[in-house]
Amino acid sequence: GKKLGYTFNHRNLHNVSLGQGQEVVAEQALDLAAKEGHWVILQNIHLVAKWLSSLEKKLEQHSKGSHRDFRVFVSAEPAPCPESHVIPQGILENSIKITSEAPTGMHANLHKALDNFSQDTLEMCSQEKEFRSILFALCYFHAVVVERRKFGAQGWNCSYPFSTGDLTISVSVLHNYLEASSKVPYDDLRYLMGEIMYGGHITDDWDRRLCKTYLEEFIKPEMLEGELCLAPGFPLPGNMDYNGYHQYIDDALPPESPHLYGLHPNAEIGFLTGRSEQLLRTVLELQPRDGSAREGGVGTREETVQALLEEMLEKLMDEFNMAELMAKVEEMTPYTVVALQECERMNTLTAEIRRSLAELELGLKGELTMTSDMENLQNSLFLDMVPESWVKRSYPSTASLGSWFADLLARINELETWTRDFSLPSTLWLGGFFNPQSILTAIMQTTARKNKWPLDKMTLQCDVTKKSREDFASAPRDGAYVHGLFMEGARWDIQTGIITDARLKELTPAMPVMFIKAVPADKQDTRGMYPCPLYKTPQRGPTYVWTFNLKTKENPSKWVLAGVALLLQI
């Protein structure tokens, strides 16, 4: 305060953390501060969106006639999207804005994590060596989980608000436990941090597994024996002072790469490609939307859309005749039920596609008034995006419209082939189902009926073959062959029959045909296996389908940290 010409002490400061009915307290603080020349700090104003209009009026009221030393500071979290912007324009225009950007990269994040402590912190525990080692490991863990977000779904299925508060509380818990025990309670520490401090934010089971695996790799007895590497080429430092740890980071931490997070270098390629695609998509959406032809163009917007919808209507096949299909059915097996359900879902989707395209065609000809839905459809077709009304009736997909429509026609062909006589195809295209879980459940139901086994005591066993789709002429006696799966984060070695490191620039190598069969849960072999999640799309998260155990000679934790998963679409 003195540098700015103010006489300032703690009695001149009113600090209000908003939320939970603190708005009245904030208004009283503003009134008093404006009169007496105090400072007011309003934290987390994004939590009280409905009150912000009142705050704007209050600030406008005090902008005249208030004490010359009166100041107001407000803080808010950044909005995740433009629709979530809640701070009134008047407040923004009349304020000096300061943004605090999070550091990027492991080097900056690790320094920032360590900045939360001091030499006094390092000296406050009686078990000094153990405390310092685990504290540094926790700083590295914190930097990893925060920065891993940049790798998208391969980093975390969901985005979590990990903060420095999680780290400082974890270190306080560490201090208390070490002071109360002569031995380091590794299991207790990992549980508290993995399930409560950091795990309390986590909502996805696979993300929880990832968090626990990091802690199992970073906090274990080997860390006190000088045998622990936090990352390739970065061993856990020995007993140093505070400045020594900062210097160690500068001297020993390898250059920024996915290896520092346990990921394959391909993860960075995917991350940068995604950012580039998003940038180009934004540029495309910003171009003018009038109907006139541009120099060097191929026609007007309407002509481009007209040609596209005519092509799609021509290629789109007729809907399945459900009455005829039902008449063909000789026995209503679990597989037959799945086939009929898939045909019904496909009919719903293709009917909407045909209806909306025909409606838009009439609108472009001037025979119908263009509605907002028709304009949205036109924009989507022009920008090569799947229209919203189709997405609602469709399956999860990240493809552009052209790829999506070609995929749709391929799915219809698969269903037509299957429903000719309802015999199970030699290999099933698992990615071609609206609901892949249904066919996997049908495999268990069929085996359970045949062997009179209880369904709730069964599981699926996955054997990866060395063959491709063309090598199979008929379906197996039990279970099913499935194709069309891809692996992200690693690859399948066909010769040795195990998961191995991916080749550089091969982001999602195809899997061979997989033999899926149902077995009693107690007969399943889980030794030397990596429980690999299967997702419908690279977005992961809510597109989860199943878990398959895949053979590995490496420790399964390696593949957990690498974010290895199977995908049905790429």
Side-chain angles (χ1 to χ4, degrees):
K2 287 184 178 178
K3 287 184 180 179
L4 299 174
Y6 305 131
T7 303
F8 182 78
N9 58 58
H10 69 277
R11 289 188 297 275
N12 299 110
L13 177 66
H14 306 271
N15 191 349
V16 183
S17 183
L18 290 162
Q20 300 181 341
Q22 293 296 303
E23 296 91 323
V24 174
V25 175
E27 290 186 6
Q28 292 172 347
L30 288 167
D31 291 338
L32 177 61
K35 181 180 178 182
E36 302 292 337
H38 297 173
W39 289 8
V40 179
I41 299 176
L42 302 178
Q43 299 183 49
N44 302 320
I45 64 169
H46 60 283
L47 298 178
V48 286
K50 293 181 179 178
W51 178 71
L52 292 182
S53 58
S54 300
L55 173 62
E56 183 179 15
K57 292 175 183 175
K58 180 71 71 173
L59 292 175
E60 185 178 351
Q61 173 189 332
H62 290 312
S63 64
K64 297 177 182 178
S66 59
H67 195 285
R68 62 186 295 273
D69 291 344
F70 171 52
R71 294 292 184 273
V72 179
F73 300 84
V74 298
S75 72
E77 291 285 336
C81 60
E83 292 75 23
S84 300
H85 290 168
V86 295
I87 301 176
Q89 188 173 349
I91 294 179
L92 293 173
E93 288 178 348
N94 294 311
S95 60
I96 299 172
K97 292 163 282 294
I98 301 173
T99 61
S100 175
E101 288 195 21
T104 58
M106 179 57 72
H107 186 273
N109 270 284
L110 187 49
H111 273 302
K112 185 184 178 186
L114 197 56
D115 284 342
N116 291 287
F117 309 103
S118 64
Q119 182 64 33
D120 292 340
T121 310
L122 299 182
E123 295 173 353
M124 70 182 187
C125 184
S126 57
Q127 297 191 58
E128 193 171 286
K129 179 183 178 183
E130 292 83 353
F131 180 72
R132 293 187 180 193
S133 294
I134 298 176
L135 185 147
F136 190 90
L138 279 174
C139 288
Y140 191 87
F141 166 73
H142 177 79
V144 164
V145 298
V146 168
E147 188 64 8
R148 190 180 168 105
R149 285 182 294 215
K150 72 181 182 183
F151 296 103
Q154 196 173 349
W156 294 102
N157 277 351
C158 306
S159 182
Y160 301 109
F162 299 124
S163 67
T164 53
D166 301 320
L167 174 61
T168 53
I169 292 171
S170 295
V171 170
S172 297
V173 169
L174 167 66
H175 172 257
N176 293 338
Y177 266 72
L178 290 182
E179 289 296 310
S181 173
S182 58
K183 292 184 178 180
V184 180
Y186 291 101
D187 290 339
D188 292 350
L189 292 173
R190 286 194 297 259
Y191 179 84
L192 287 168
M193 293 158 193
E195 296 288 348
I196 300 172
M197 308 307 177
Y198 286 85
H201 297 293
I202 297 173
T203 55
D204 182 273
D205 289 341
W206 298 104
D207 287 342
R208 189 174 300 279
R209 179 181 74 164
L210 172 63
C211 180
K212 290 166 65 177
T213 303
Y214 269 130
L215 289 167
E216 287 166 3
E217 293 296 306
F218 294 163
I219 301 178
K220 54 186 178 181
E222 291 88 331
M223 67 191 311
L224 302 179
E225 300 164 11
E227 300 176 2
L228 178 66
C229 279
L230 297 171
F234 189 60
L236 182 71
N239 199 340
M240 299 180 178
D241 64 13
Y242 181 71
N243 292 328
Y245 282 126
H246 274 296
Q247 189 62 47
Y248 179 77
I249 296 170
D250 290 334
D251 296 341
L253 185 66
E256 180 71 17
S257 81
H259 286 305
L260 298 178
Y261 310 87
L263 291 159
H264 189 273
N266 284 347
E268 188 167 38
I269 298 174
F271 153 64
L272 294 174
T273 302
R275 287 181 60 178
S276 301
E277 289 177 350
Q278 180 62 37
L279 173 63
L280 293 173
R281 171 66 60 190
T282 303
V283 171
L284 181 63
E285 291 175 356
L286 288 174
Q287 69 178 346
R289 297 193 176 188
D290 59 40
S292 59
R294 296 290 172 190
E295 186 177 346
V298 293
T300 67
R301 184 187 188 88
E302 286 76 11
E303 288 171 352
T304 303
V305 171
Q306 180 69 39
L308 181 58
L309 71 83
E310 287 176 358
E311 180 186 359
M312 296 175 81
L313 283 171
E314 182 182 346
K315 289 182 177 179
L316 192 62
M317 300 146 186
D318 292 334
E319 294 170 24
F320 291 98
N321 187 321
M322 297 307 297
E324 286 184 9
L325 293 182
M326 291 295 291
K328 283 188 197 176
V329 174
E330 296 177 1
E331 181 185 359
M332 193 63 76
T333 66
Y335 295 132
T336 305
V337 172
V338 171
L340 292 172
Q341 288 174 344
E342 290 291 314
C343 289
E344 288 176 349
R345 290 190 177 99
M346 186 60 75
N347 281 351
T348 302
L349 175 57
T350 54
E352 171 59 22
I353 294 174
R354 185 173 282 104
R355 182 204 66 77
S356 58
L357 288 178
E359 183 181 68
L360 177 59
E361 188 173 30
L362 293 174
L364 293 175
K365 290 177 181 178
E367 297 177 19
L368 276 180
T369 303
M370 289 288 285
T371 64
S372 60
D373 288 342
M374 292 159 69
E375 288 178 356
N376 291 337
L377 175 60
Q378 181 183 1
N379 289 334
S380 296
L381 295 180
F382 185 72
L383 296 173
D384 197 28
M385 296 168 59
V386 184
E388 187 63 32
S389 65
W390 302 2
V391 170
K392 289 177 181 177
R393 295 163 177 80
S394 183
Y395 36 84
S397 176
T398 57
S400 61
L401 178 58
S403 302
W404 181 88
F405 191 72
D407 176 77
L408 173 73
L409 299 180
R411 289 168 182 256
I412 295 173
N413 277 326
E414 287 283 318
L415 283 175
E416 284 185 339
T417 303
W418 188 4
T419 54
R420 279 173 194 155
D421 58 4
F422 286 98
S423 60
L424 193 66
S426 55
T427 67
L428 289 165
W429 177 25
L430 195 58
F433 288 84
F434 280 80
N435 182 15
Q437 291 96 323
S438 63
I439 192 66
L440 296 174
T441 304
I443 293 173
M444 291 203 297
Q445 289 174 331
T446 302
T447 305
R449 290 180 185 180
K450 182 177 179 181
N451 297 291
K452 295 184 171 55
W453 291 342
L455 188 61
D456 61 340
K457 298 289 174 56
M458 295 179 64
T459 188
L460 290 180
Q461 180 174 303
C462 167
D463 296 320
V464 184
T465 72
K466 295 185 177 182
K467 300 178 180 180
S468 61
R469 179 185 184 184
E470 293 74 22
D471 298 326
F472 293 89
S474 60
R477 184 176 301 176
D478 293 311
Y481 295 120
V482 299
H483 70 274
L485 282 75
F486 305 87
M487 182 173 283
E488 186 176 38
R491 67 182 175 90
W492 184 260
D493 190 314
I494 297 177
Q495 301 306 317
T496 57
I498 58 171
I499 305 175
T500 190
D501 288 318
R503 297 187 181 98
L504 196 61
K505 299 184 181 179
E506 289 185 10
L507 304 189
T508 49
M511 291 287 290
V513 170
M514 299 166 66
F515 176 42
I516 309 294
K517 65 179 180 179
V519 296
D522 57 359
K523 297 284 181 67
Q524 189 179 37
D525 186 7
T526 57
R527 292 171 300 175
M529 295 286 189
Y530 166 61
C532 185
L534 170 66
Y535 298 97
K536 295 177 184 176
T537 76
Q539 291 174 324
R540 303 194 181 191
T543 69
Y544 169 76
V545 177
W546 211 273
T547 304
F548 291 134
N549 288 332
L550 300 179
K551 291 181 182 177
T552 175
K553 284 188 177 178
E554 304 262 14
N555 190 320
S557 64
K558 173 180 178 176
W559 310 122
V560 174
L561 300 186
V564 175
L566 292 171
L567 306 176
L568 294 178
Q569 298 176 43
I570 55 175

